[in-house]
Amino acid sequence: MILRSEQLAACTVTEVREEVRDARRRDEAIRIAGSATWMDAGRVVRAERLLSVSGLNGVIHYIPGDFTITVRAGTTLQHVAAMAAEERQWLALEPFGARSGTVGATIATGSYGPLAHAFGTPRDHVLGLRVVTGNGDLLTVGGRVVKNVAGFDLTRLFTGSWGTLGIITEATFRLRALPEVDESYALAVDNDPQVMDAQLRAISSASIAPYSVEMLNAALAQRLGVGTDTTILVRLGGNSESVRAQVKALSQLNTVGITSPEIWSSFRECEPEGATVIRFARRPSHLGGLWRSAVKRAAGALVHASVGRGVVRCIVNRDNDEQLTGERWWDPGSAIVERGADIPLHSSGPLAAVTCVRAGISRRIKDVFDPSNILNPGIMGDVG
Amino acid sequence: MTTSERDTELAAKLRGITGESSVLTRRSQLLTYTSDGLPTYRKWPALAVFPNTRNELIEVVRALALAKRTFVARGAGTGLSGGALAEGDAVVVGLNRLNRILSIDAENRLAVVEPGTVNAHLTRAANAHGLHYAPDPSSQTACTIGGNVAENAGGPHCLKYGVTLNHVAALTVILPEGELVTLGNADGEDAGYDLLGAFIGSEGCFGIAVDVTVRLTRNPEAIVTLLADFTTVEAAAQAVSAIIASGIVPAALEMMDNATIRAVEASIYAAGYPVDAAAVLLAEVDGLKAGLDVDVRVIEHLCVELGARTVRIAREEGERMRLWQGRKKAFGAMGRIAPDLIVQDAVVPRTRLPEILAKIGEIGRRHGIMICNVFHAGDGNLHPNIAYDARHAGVEERAHEAMREIMTVCISAGGTITGEHGVGLDKLDYMPLVFTPQTLDAMCQVRQVFDPERRSNPEKVVPVHSCREWYAVRGARA
């Protein structure tokens, strides 16, 4: 929420630095925006200005043979995907949300999608960044090569820090070659707990190497048109011989039906405006139980789970998100508010003192990069 | 109190925690700990302590904090950047006795280990469940998981599977001031800043891992290893690019040049590499059985098309192991060439490999030194190694000058000074060539968040003087 929004746009790194220095001089906070598709994240950000970096866009460096690409932070994911596709490459990240989202926002929010099953989250894709800190300093962290252990890994600190440590102006990603075959299949899952758990175990140990394995509740399966009840979507890639064998292995578990590859785009963009999104996670072997608890509490919601990662993601109407968070039912495990009301749900540690030490480290890191607390204050709860 | 009185008092205090035989103070005992895998550096620690249990480690770090002493954590001492060396007042905290695998959760593919657990021992234990620990540095039969975390270690198979960062779910860390903290979350997702990611690769400057929760990887159904030999290094480098561009993700893609091949073939690690080849490529594909042969044929075809004289395909475990042993023990085999060896590490964009390899050859010839290249070609991660005899006057200086030139060449090609060995002591001088003063200063300050008194592995990774200069500039401006 912007209290008194003065809209500013920066098209160069120099302008970003000037805006930050100016804000610091006046002791005014900045809310950082890319395409502004995430602006209703719902958490209270006490900021006097909105600084858009969507004008800071375009490709800086792309040598296909290196499988790396360096782009300005305001470049959209769609643009990166199109550039890479021309060389039969891709950024295997495809986070939930609009394709018009920017790479800067994706990295800042640590957003990921169904491909995390095989390829991980932004921390596993980002090789280096340029960042303007809350001091107005321009830092170049990481690098442009696929392996790099020079110095402390500040890239990981900025990734997923929601803009509270600095404004990302440029990013280098690792790309991959597009597979020869990329196909997706749907199979029905039984809602009986024992049968479901057995099916989940069978998928985990099947002779497949999927890109994504997502379980959808009935509402989401119907909305995407892939089933009437709980359904698992599997994305398979590789050479045709490998994919054929994997489909065969899948069909030994249950009847499978091929779905359109477009299903993943619809899936990524299925969130209604203003929804609350909360992710619950446990070790994958507990997924069945976690799933059933979440589905029961999130009546009427769209719910899906990354089967290999043990993460259940609930998309609920903002008016009734309390049904999910009223009590701490996910312990042990984690609950993270991706977007929605400011509910302090951070992962629980076994010892309160340990968590406290960790919070202290985070606060001191915030002090290093943004001592005046002018960058997205409040967006990460305690830390921001 | 004199230095020796302080050391005596500290030794007594540490012996009270760990027992008599776990604290070493005599020079003859400390000799082993004066260098690591890069023996061009030698530093004498004040003393060395070897905690036997987790609690002893915690008590030792707290005692060192109370005594305001600097310390350096050390695993197996196989590091290649002088990172585990302690000097002057500093105490070596040896972690090799903390080598227990605490638990394996096979269903969730997680294991909790103590920091001194040997990398290969973890994989051996995981194998019983059809799993393994993917990062596989060449020193994996000796190096420890704690050391791997400190260095963010890689290995040949990180081309497909990723480095240590991608395989650690959580850490319990004892901070230099003696507080315990859990980073990451093995039971779910992690929230807040990625402190786990920041700790991995911090080279012992942020604290000591008390336990490490690692992710295990399913063993592949099938593995095929190919050996292709080329008459020019350029052709081999082009084959690397062609294989990567084909869309196949090899599990590993390694190159060895003629000097390396000959050293290996003359040693007990002889793997049957053709000694007249300018370079050999060792490529491996693994995963599901179905479709793997298609990838093998594509790689074979590309190598032949780009000039490979022969392509040997090893499917049988014994033959595969022999091919790999030559690669993994290549550094050892280089001991045949000369008594001293600098194992180096740098990364360049993959497409620049042919050009950079030619420049490295030229630098070696100009300085009259022998450079052997054995490296992770698929990642562009070079290991140019200089074999020399330090007893000959001036040779060591020439070797170091050649290394500096090689680093400069790699940096100007858009690369970096280390891909997996770390900065330690060895690469300190190169840091200002890669990072701006602002970035170096930010690194200094982040270190101070974890270690306010800079007692944990002091004077490594970021050149202290460059930070101070920056502080001075800042002071003047304020």
Side-chain angles (χ1 to χ4, degrees):
Chain A
M1 192 197 297
I2 312 298
L3 299 182
R4 178 168 60 80
S5 68
E6 186 189 343
Q7 294 251 2
L8 302 159
C11 296
T12 65
V13 174
T14 310
E15 283 171 16
V16 173
R17 297 182 75 178
E18 279 167 7
E19 291 301 340
V20 170
R21 286 178 178 149
D22 189 49
R24 203 177 165 193
R25 239 184 338 263
R26 300 193 203 182
D27 199 22
E28 289 180 353
I30 301 176
R31 175 77 163 99
I32 309 148
S35 297
T37 53
W38 287 75
M39 293 317 287
D40 70 338
R43 269 163 282 198
V44 179
V45 178
R46 307 171 300 274
E48 283 84 5
R49 328 164 162 212
L50 177 78
L51 177 64
S52 168
V53 293
S54 64
L56 195 68
N57 61 42
V59 174
I60 293 168
H61 194 80
Y62 179 29
I63 309 271
D66 291 334
F67 283 73
T68 60
I69 190 167
T70 304
V71 297
R72 293 187 185 86
T75 313
T76 64
L77 293 165
Q78 205 165 10
H79 186 67
V80 172
M83 286 273 301
E86 279 179 34
E87 304 293 338
R88 287 208 46 79
Q89 296 182 0
W90 65 324
L91 174 59
L93 188 53
E94 303 186 353
F96 292 112
R99 274 170 290 180
S100 57
T102 63
V103 303
T106 301
I107 297 167
T109 57
S111 299
Y112 64 82
L115 289 170
H117 175 93
F119 303 109
T121 65
R123 81 198 284 269
D124 305 300
H125 295 263
V126 179
L127 301 173
L129 298 170
R130 295 191 99 194
V131 179
V132 174
T133 67
N135 296 313
D137 289 339
L138 175 65
L139 307 185
T140 306
V141 303
R144 286 183 182 177
V145 282
V146 294
K147 248 167 118 183
N148 191 350
V149 294
F152 302 131
D153 193 350
L154 304 184
T155 309
R156 258 25 76 183
L157 273 184
F158 287 106
T159 303
S161 67
W162 286 82
T164 59
L165 301 179
I167 302 173
I168 297 166
T169 62
E170 184 184 308
T172 301
F173 289 102
R174 170 201 291 270
L175 298 177
R176 288 163 205 278
L178 279 170
E180 179 193 328
V181 179
D182 179 355
E183 289 176 354
S184 298
Y185 293 85
L187 65 159
V189 182
D190 202 298
N191 285 322
D192 175 81
Q194 281 190 329
V195 181
M196 176 188 276
D197 290 352
Q199 280 179 314
L200 293 175
R201 276 197 300 273
I203 285 207
S204 300
S205 54
S207 182
I208 55 173
Y211 285 178
S212 309
V213 184
E214 290 278 335
M215 182 154 67
L216 319 176
N217 72 343
L220 187 52
Q222 286 162 19
R223 188 176 175 128
L224 297 176
V226 290
T228 53
D229 207 334
T230 314
T231 301
I232 286 187
L233 274 181
V234 182
R235 184 168 178 179
L236 303 170
N239 64 43
S240 57
E241 198 172 307
S242 159
V243 172
R244 263 203 315 279
Q246 294 185 62
V247 175
K248 201 170 151 200
L250 265 185
S251 47
Q252 279 160 8
L253 306 178
N254 206 342
T255 318
V256 300
I258 190 160
T259 68
S260 151
E262 289 306 306
I263 193 79
W264 300 103
S265 307
S266 324
F267 184 12
R268 284 169 64 194
E269 299 183 11
C270 71
E271 294 162 34
E273 277 286 306
T276 292
V277 182
I278 306 177
R279 295 197 307 262
F280 300 94
R282 286 197 64 183
R283 292 195 180 188
S285 60
H286 296 286
L287 180 69
L290 183 72
W291 169 267
R292 289 185 288 274
S293 302
V295 168
K296 197 172 73 192
R297 284 179 169 80
L302 304 176
V303 183
H304 62 94
S306 173
V307 172
R309 293 166 50 82
V311 180
V312 176
R313 192 164 171 269
C314 302
I315 304 162
V316 293
N317 192 310
R318 186 157 296 176
D319 301 330
N320 53 5
D321 54 17
E322 260 193 30
Q323 58 192 3
L324 267 178
T325 58
E327 52 174 328
R328 202 186 183 106
W329 59 272
W330 55 84
D331 217 17
S334 64
I336 292 174
V337 179
E338 203 175 284
R339 57 207 300 195
D342 187 16
I343 319 161
L345 286 178
H346 294 299
S347 54
S348 50
L351 297 165
V354 167
T355 312
C356 188
V357 173
R358 199 181 142 149
I361 295 173
S362 296
R363 265 194 302 277
R364 294 200 297 278
I365 285 185
K366 171 75 173 168
D367 284 343
V368 167
F369 293 103
D370 182 24
S372 319
N373 195 20
I374 56 166
L375 300 178
N376 278 357
I379 201 164
M380 279 188 97
D382 298 349
V383 174
Chain B
M1 224 190 297
T2 66
T3 307
S4 79
E5 282 167 356
R6 287 183 65 214
D7 286 351
T8 308
E9 192 184 304
L10 181 67
K13 195 178 286 174
L14 296 177
R15 283 189 176 116
I17 299 168
T18 62
E20 192 68 26
S21 62
S22 303
V23 178
L24 306 181
T25 53
R26 289 200 302 273
R27 274 175 84 86
S28 58
Q29 295 172 316
L30 293 172
L31 178 67
T32 310
Y33 307 100
T34 56
S35 65
D36 63 5
L38 191 67
T40 43
Y41 296 93
R42 188 168 284 268
K43 308 274 182 195
W44 286 92
L47 50 99
V49 56
F50 298 85
N52 301 286
T53 65
R54 172 195 177 98
N55 280 342
E56 286 183 12
L57 169 60
I58 293 167
E59 289 310 307
V60 163
V61 172
R62 288 178 178 161
L64 292 169
L66 211 61
K68 303 262 179 219
R69 293 292 290 259
T70 55
F71 61 88
V72 180
R74 182 180 173 107
T78 55
L80 290 164
S81 57
L85 302 195
E87 190 175 20
D89 204 33
V91 175
V92 165
V93 181
L95 300 168
N96 43 313
R97 293 182 185 177
L98 295 171
N99 59 359
R100 290 178 308 159
I101 296 170
L102 300 173
S103 65
I104 293 183
D105 174 354
E107 198 174 359
N108 293 301
R109 295 171 198 159
L110 292 168
V112 185
V113 304
E114 290 185 333
T117 303
V118 171
N119 177 302
H121 295 179
L122 171 59
T123 278
R124 202 187 302 150
N127 268 329
H129 307 277
L131 304 168
H132 68 286
Y133 179 63
D136 62 336
S138 292
S139 56
Q140 73 183 126
T141 52
C143 68
T144 63
I145 299 297
N148 291 176
V149 168
E151 303 297 318
N152 190 13
H157 290 88
C158 68
L159 175 61
K160 176 173 178 180
Y161 293 100
V163 293
T164 305
L165 173 78
N166 312 106
H167 296 274
V168 174
L171 294 171
T172 306
V173 168
I174 178 141
L175 296 171
E177 303 289 279
E179 293 169 306
L180 278 174
V181 62
T182 302
L183 307 179
N185 180 7
D187 287 312
E189 289 190 294
D190 197 19
Y193 296 147
D194 187 0
L195 302 179
L196 175 68
F199 188 91
I200 295 169
S202 60
E203 301 196 28
C205 297
F206 290 5
I208 300 179
V210 176
D211 60 57
V212 185
T213 307
V214 297
R215 294 185 204 286
L216 300 173
T217 304
R218 199 149 66 144
N219 289 347
E221 284 177 9
I223 312 173
V224 182
T225 308
L226 297 91
L227 182 82
D229 81 283
F230 294 85
T231 52
T232 67
V233 170
E234 289 70 24
Q238 278 161 7
V240 169
S241 292
I243 292 166
I244 298 289
S246 74
I248 295 169
V249 185
L253 191 49
E254 302 282 306
M255 199 196 286
M256 284 164 273
D257 68 3
N258 180 263
T260 307
I261 294 167
R262 282 194 294 180
V264 169
E265 288 304 312
S267 76
I268 55 162
Y269 309 118
Y273 304 151
V275 289
D276 59 339
V280 294
L281 273 188
L282 195 60
E284 185 160 283
V285 287
D286 71 3
L288 303 173
K289 202 173 258 161
L292 203 63
D293 274 338
V294 177
D295 289 350
V296 170
R297 282 195 298 274
V298 170
I299 293 175
E300 183 184 15
H301 171 77
L302 289 171
C303 287
V304 169
E305 199 173 55
L306 287 159
R309 289 187 305 186
T310 57
V311 180
R312 203 165 117 194
I313 298 172
R315 293 170 199 275
E316 187 261 318
E317 189 65 7
E319 194 187 0
R320 280 192 49 248
M321 285 299 122
R322 204 156 73 96
L323 288 181
W324 269 112
Q325 171 154 288
R327 162 63 187 89
K328 290 212 171 181
K329 303 290 186 188
F331 299 140
M334 284 168 197
R336 299 183 60 84
I337 300 174
D340 297 282
L341 181 72
I342 302 177
V343 177
Q344 264 302 355
D345 175 38
V347 189
V348 296
R350 197 160 26 211
T351 50
R352 307 289 295 271
L353 273 178
E355 163 204 348
I356 301 297
L357 287 170
K359 281 188 182 161
I360 290 173
E362 189 272 318
I363 291 168
R365 281 190 295 278
R366 187 153 36 78
H367 289 279
I369 51 164
M370 177 150 180
I371 302 181
C372 314
N373 288 291
V374 44
F375 62 99
H376 314 304
D379 290 320
N381 188 180
L382 297 163
H383 291 315
N385 305 306
I386 297 185
Y388 65 100
D389 189 341
R391 292 168 301 190
H392 295 167
V395 179
E396 187 151 12
E397 289 71 23
R398 291 213 307 274
H400 279 282
E401 183 48 36
M403 277 306 156
R404 168 165 282 279
E405 287 184 28
I406 290 172
M407 288 299 141
T408 311
V409 163
C410 292
I411 294 165
S412 47
T416 191
I417 55 174
T418 170
E420 48 187 23
H421 295 173
V423 175
L425 276 178
D426 190 47
K427 299 282 174 68
L428 268 178
D429 290 349
Y430 304 129
M431 286 291 278
L433 303 180
V434 204
F435 296 108
T436 62
Q438 283 93 334
T439 305
L440 290 174
D441 176 57
M443 288 183 189
C444 287
Q445 293 197 51
V446 169
R447 183 235 173 89
Q448 273 175 279
V449 165
F450 288 88
D451 178 20
E453 294 174 336
R454 298 184 187 207
R455 288 186 299 102
S456 190
N457 211 3
E459 295 179 37
K460 305 277 171 59
V461 187
V462 181
V464 176
H465 62 86
S466 78
C467 301
R468 286 207 188 115
E469 276 167 21
W470 177 242
Y471 291 140
V473 171
R474 223 175 228 195
R477 210 167 51 182

